[in-house]
Amino acid sequence: MRLLLIEDDDRIAGPLTEGLGRYGFAVDHVRTGAAGLADAVAPPDLVLLDLGLPDMDGLDVCRGLRARSAVPIIMITARGEEADRVVGLELGADDYLAKPFGVRELIARIRAVTRRAGAPAYAPAGPAQASETHRTASGAQAVGPLAVNRRTREVHVDGRHVALTPREFDLLAHLAEDPGTVCSRQQIMDTVWDPHFFGPTKTLDAHVAALRRKLGDPGWITTARGVGFRLTVPGDHRAPAPEGAGG
């Protein structure tokens, strides 16, 4: 999926481009509204548009983009005034995301916008999910005896409800997106926490340890030493047993 990012601040554009790239997005970055309008002659799949551009107002860029195509547009800006949001949406933007925000939230917005626009749904890059993954009648994702319901944010193991904190649920849901595939520590921190999170990375180890305990078997989350973590079905995987919560 090709995204056009129109953002003049490299301190935002750099990490954002890198973070989206980890999830399979191809990001073209331009720094001015004029360059964005020129680049959009060949329409991308979606435009991420900053409203505070150096050469022209982002709302004018939005108007120009909408005049020539129906490309989905997500406005990203530090402006928090309701009037800006209303005008942008009335000009044809599909969504509005206020800074600061995390990559995970942005990807969720991209998915929602592309669904509404009728584009093919975005799926994270990576190998196909493990064969034991399927959907239950309630819409939950089942990985062996583990059921993760993103709509209700509930988790069950063998029918037993597992009470998780919001962050623990987000971590488990992230690992469950591609069972068996190793998620790097940095990727997890960028999506479950935030690309600009400056706290100790040991907070990830603490959450992994809590999940292992609450799920009832440490084999649910295995450690790829020096890389990160992966979700596996205990007793049904070839990965070595976890050696502790550290990666």
Side-chain angles (χ1 to χ4, degrees), residues 132-136 140-144 146-148:
E132 69 270 15
T133 301
H134 61 277
R135 295 285 171 181
T136 68
Q141 178 190 1
V143 184
L146 171 69
V148 180

Short mmCIF file of all heavy atoms in Angstrom, two decimals, residues 132-136 140-144 146-148:
data_model
loop_
_atom_site.label_atom_id
_atom_site.label_comp_id
_atom_site.label_asym_id
_atom_site.label_seq_id
_atom_site.Cartn_x
_atom_site.Cartn_y
_atom_site.Cartn_z
N GLU A 132 -3.49 -23.01 13.15
CA GLU A 132 -4.48 -23.20 14.20
C GLU A 132 -5.29 -21.94 14.47
O GLU A 132 -6.12 -21.92 15.35
CB GLU A 132 -3.80 -23.65 15.50
CG GLU A 132 -2.92 -22.60 16.16
CD GLU A 132 -1.49 -22.65 15.70
OE1 GLU A 132 -1.21 -23.29 14.68
OE2 GLU A 132 -0.63 -22.03 16.36
N THR A 133 -5.06 -20.87 13.71
CA THR A 133 -5.79 -19.63 13.92
C THR A 133 -7.08 -19.61 13.11
O THR A 133 -7.08 -19.91 11.93
CB THR A 133 -4.91 -18.43 13.51
OG1 THR A 133 -3.72 -18.44 14.30
CG2 THR A 133 -5.64 -17.13 13.73
N HIS A 134 -8.20 -19.24 13.76
CA HIS A 134 -9.46 -19.09 13.05
C HIS A 134 -10.35 -18.15 13.84
O HIS A 134 -9.97 -17.66 14.90
CB HIS A 134 -10.14 -20.46 12.87
CG HIS A 134 -10.49 -21.14 14.17
ND1 HIS A 134 -9.58 -21.88 14.89
CD2 HIS A 134 -11.65 -21.17 14.89
CE1 HIS A 134 -10.16 -22.36 15.98
NE2 HIS A 134 -11.40 -21.94 16.01
N ARG A 135 -11.53 -17.87 13.32
CA ARG A 135 -12.48 -16.99 13.99
C ARG A 135 -13.59 -17.81 14.63
O ARG A 135 -14.10 -18.77 14.04
CB ARG A 135 -13.10 -16.01 12.98
CG ARG A 135 -12.09 -15.04 12.39
CD ARG A 135 -11.72 -13.97 13.38
NE ARG A 135 -10.59 -13.16 12.89
CZ ARG A 135 -10.04 -12.18 13.57
NH1 ARG A 135 -10.51 -11.85 14.76
NH2 ARG A 135 -9.02 -11.51 13.08
N THR A 136 -13.97 -17.43 15.83
CA THR A 136 -15.08 -18.11 16.50
C THR A 136 -16.39 -17.49 16.06
O THR A 136 -16.43 -16.48 15.36
CB THR A 136 -14.94 -17.99 18.03
OG1 THR A 136 -15.13 -16.61 18.40
CG2 THR A 136 -13.56 -18.45 18.49
N ALA A 140 -14.27 -13.62 17.72
CA ALA A 140 -12.96 -13.61 18.36
C ALA A 140 -11.96 -14.39 17.52
O ALA A 140 -12.32 -15.32 16.79
CB ALA A 140 -13.05 -14.21 19.76
N GLN A 141 -10.69 -14.02 17.62
CA GLN A 141 -9.63 -14.77 16.97
C GLN A 141 -9.21 -15.90 17.90
O GLN A 141 -8.91 -15.68 19.08
CB GLN A 141 -8.43 -13.89 16.69
CG GLN A 141 -7.26 -14.64 16.05
CD GLN A 141 -5.99 -13.81 16.00
OE1 GLN A 141 -5.97 -12.68 16.45
NE2 GLN A 141 -4.93 -14.37 15.44
N ALA A 142 -9.23 -17.13 17.39
CA ALA A 142 -8.84 -18.28 18.20
C ALA A 142 -7.48 -18.78 17.75
O ALA A 142 -7.26 -19.04 16.57
CB ALA A 142 -9.88 -19.39 18.07
N VAL A 143 -6.57 -18.87 18.70
CA VAL A 143 -5.24 -19.45 18.46
C VAL A 143 -5.15 -20.64 19.40
O VAL A 143 -4.88 -20.48 20.59
CB VAL A 143 -4.12 -18.44 18.75
CG1 VAL A 143 -2.76 -19.04 18.42
CG2 VAL A 143 -4.34 -17.15 17.98
N GLY A 144 -5.43 -21.84 18.89
CA GLY A 144 -5.55 -22.99 19.77
C GLY A 144 -6.67 -22.72 20.76
O GLY A 144 -7.76 -22.27 20.39
N LEU A 146 -6.80 -20.39 22.93
CA LEU A 146 -6.82 -18.97 23.27
C LEU A 146 -7.76 -18.22 22.33
O LEU A 146 -7.67 -18.35 21.12
CB LEU A 146 -5.41 -18.38 23.16
CG LEU A 146 -5.28 -16.85 23.28
CD1 LEU A 146 -5.60 -16.40 24.71
CD2 LEU A 146 -3.88 -16.40 22.87
N ALA A 147 -8.66 -17.43 22.90
CA ALA A 147 -9.59 -16.61 22.11
C ALA A 147 -9.38 -15.14 22.47
O ALA A 147 -9.48 -14.76 23.65
CB ALA A 147 -11.03 -17.01 22.37
N VAL A 148 -9.10 -14.31 21.46
CA VAL A 148 -8.86 -12.88 21.64
C VAL A 148 -9.94 -12.12 20.88
O VAL A 148 -9.99 -12.18 19.65
CB VAL A 148 -7.47 -12.47 21.14
CG1 VAL A 148 -7.24 -10.97 21.35
CG2 VAL A 148 -6.38 -13.28 21.84
#
